[in-house]
Amino acid sequence: MANPLTPSPPLLHDRQPQPQPRHPPPLLAPSPTTSHAPYPREYRKGNWTLHETLVLITAKKLDDERRSHGPTRIDPGKPSSPSCKSAELRWKWVENYCWAHGCLRSQNQCNDKWDNLLRDYKKVREYLARSGGGGDHRCPSYWKLEKHERKERNLPTNLALEVFEALQEVLSRKHSSSAQKTITSAPAAATPPPLPPSPRAPPSEQRLSAAETTDSSETDGSDLPDSDTKRRKVRTLGSSIVRSASVLSRTLLACQEKKEKRHRDVLELEERKLQMEENRTEANRQGIAGLISAVNNLSGAIHTLVSDRNDTR
C-alpha cells in the first residue's frame, strides 16, 4: 500500500525532452575557391596597377595548373571547386583569387584585362622577333623605346618588362603542359593492317628487288611488295630532303642578299654623313675667312680715319 505522503512518480507522457544546447557552426576562412561572396562586392574601376596585373597573371597560372592536374591536387578535400569545363566558373575562381590578394576586380574585368594582355604580349613578341633582340640600330629593342616611339610603331605603350616575363612563363608552361597531356593521353599505336596483295612484278623487277634486299630480309622471308614499298618510301624521303634543301638554300640566299643590301645602305648613310661634315667644314672655313677680311677692312678704315684727323690738326 502506497504512502499518501510520498509523491507519485511522474507519468511517461509528462516527461519532456530537454533541449540540447546548440553550438554555432565554425566559420570558414575565405579562400580563392569560394564561389559566392558573403556580401556584395564593390569592384574597383580605372586603370590597372602593376600589382593587380601580376596578381591576375598569377591567378591564371594557378588556374591553368588546377585545371591541368585536376581539382584534387590543387584544392584537396574541397568538392566545391568549379568545373574546368565552364569558363564562367573559371573566371569566378580567378576573381576570388584576385579579391583575396588585394585586386578588387570583377570576373569580366579580369577577362577583358587578360585579353588585352595577350594582345599586347603577342605584338611585343613579334616585334622582338623581327628586331632580333634589338641588335639592329634601325629596329631597337622595345624596352629602349620611348612612349611616342612605341606609338609610332603601333606597339603597346605601357607594357612592363615584369608583366611580359610573367606572361611568357605562363604561356610557355601552358603550351608545354598541353603538349605533354596530348602525348600521354594519345592511345598506343595499333598494329597496322596487312597490305593487300599486289600483282606480281615482271621477272626483271623481281631480280632487281632480290638483289637490293639485305641478308636479314632474306632470312626473315620478306617478299617483293615489301621491297617495292621500301623503295617508294626511300624515293619519297629523298625528294622531301631535296625540296627541303632547296627551300633552305633559297632562304639563306635571300637572307644573305638582305644583309648585303643593309650593309650597302649603311655605307651610303656613312658617305652622306661624311659629305655633310665636309660641307659644314667648308662653310665654316668660308665664314671665318669672310670674317677675317671684314675685320681687316674695318681696321684699315679706322687707321685711315685716324690719319685723316691727324693731318687736319
Side-chain angles (χ1 to χ4, degrees), residues 112-126 156 159 167:
D112 296 339
K113 181 62 176 178
W114 182 253
D115 293 339
N116 295 334
L117 287 175
L118 290 182
R119 185 177 63 251
D120 295 345
Y121 170 78
K122 290 179 181 178
K123 288 184 179 180
V124 175
R125 183 186 62 185
E126 293 175 357
L159 184 63
L167 287 171

Side-chain angles (χ1 to χ4, degrees), residues 28-309:
L28 299 178
S31 63
T33 58
T34 306
S35 58
H36 298 283
Y39 52 88
R41 293 177 173 177
E42 295 183 0
Y43 300 108
R44 183 178 178 274
K45 298 180 181 180
N47 296 330
W48 285 63
T49 62
L50 179 61
H51 171 71
E52 291 177 336
T53 305
L54 295 177
V55 169
L56 173 62
I57 296 174
T58 305
K60 280 295 297 179
K61 179 177 68 175
L62 295 178
D63 180 61
D64 293 338
E65 294 178 356
R66 179 180 61 88
R67 290 189 291 117
S68 61
H69 296 289
T72 56
R73 295 190 179 183
I74 303 301
D75 300 323
K78 295 181 180 180
S80 61
S81 297
S83 174
C84 298
K85 297 181 180 180
S86 174
E88 182 178 359
L89 294 179
R90 292 201 305 266
W91 282 108
K92 190 64 179 178
W93 190 94
V94 173
E95 174 190 337
N96 292 329
Y97 181 91
C98 294
W99 189 271
H101 290 78
C103 178
L104 311 182
R105 301 287 182 167
S106 65
Q107 59 181 1
N108 294 331
Q109 289 176 321
C110 294
N111 194 354
D112 296 339
K113 181 62 176 178
W114 182 253
D115 293 339
N116 295 334
L117 287 175
L118 290 182
R119 185 177 63 251
D120 295 345
Y121 170 78
K122 290 179 181 178
K123 288 184 179 180
V124 175
R125 183 186 62 185
E126 293 175 357
Y127 175 79
L128 293 177
R130 291 196 307 267
S131 63
D136 192 356
H137 67 281
R138 293 178 300 178
C139 194
S141 176
Y142 172 82
W143 315 112
K144 296 180 180 179
L145 296 175
E146 300 293 337
K147 284 190 175 182
H148 67 277
E149 295 176 340
R150 296 176 180 177
K151 188 175 182 181
E152 291 175 357
R153 289 172 169 82
N154 195 18
L155 295 173
T157 58
N158 56 352
L159 184 63
L161 179 59
E162 297 86 351
V163 176
F164 180 83
E165 292 177 349
L167 287 171
Q168 190 173 15
E169 180 183 0
V170 172
L171 295 179
S172 61
R173 283 190 178 184
K174 185 176 180 180
H175 292 326
S176 60
S177 61
S178 60
Q180 183 67 22
K181 185 177 180 181
T182 303
I183 293 174
T184 54
S185 61
T191 305
L195 296 175
S198 58
R200 301 292 294 179
S204 59
E205 294 185 3
Q206 292 180 4
R207 290 193 297 270
L208 180 60
S209 60
E212 292 178 353
T213 52
T214 61
D215 297 338
S216 60
S217 62
E218 291 176 358
T219 305
D220 297 337
S222 60
D223 52 358
L224 294 178
D226 292 338
S227 61
D228 294 339
T229 304
K230 291 180 181 179
R231 285 200 301 272
R232 284 196 297 269
K233 288 183 179 180
V234 170
R235 285 196 297 268
T236 304
L237 180 60
S239 61
S240 300
I241 293 175
V242 170
R243 286 196 300 270
S244 301
S246 62
V247 172
L248 181 61
S249 62
R250 288 196 299 269
T251 305
L252 292 176
L253 183 60
C255 183
Q256 188 66 26
E257 291 178 355
K258 289 182 179 180
K259 287 183 179 179
E260 292 178 356
K261 184 178 181 301
R262 185 164 59 249
H263 183 65
R264 289 195 299 268
D265 294 340
V266 172
L267 291 178
E268 291 179 359
L269 183 61
E270 293 295 334
E271 291 178 358
R272 291 180 182 178
K273 287 182 179 180
L274 292 175
Q275 186 66 28
M276 292 176 62
E277 290 293 335
E278 291 178 357
N279 294 336
R280 188 181 297 110
T281 303
E282 182 65 22
N284 292 335
R285 188 182 62 79
Q286 293 179 1
I288 292 174
L291 181 61
I292 293 173
S293 176
V295 170
N296 292 333
N297 294 334
L298 181 61
S299 62
I302 292 174
H303 285 297
T304 302
L305 180 61
V306 171
S307 61
D308 292 342
R309 286 188 177 183

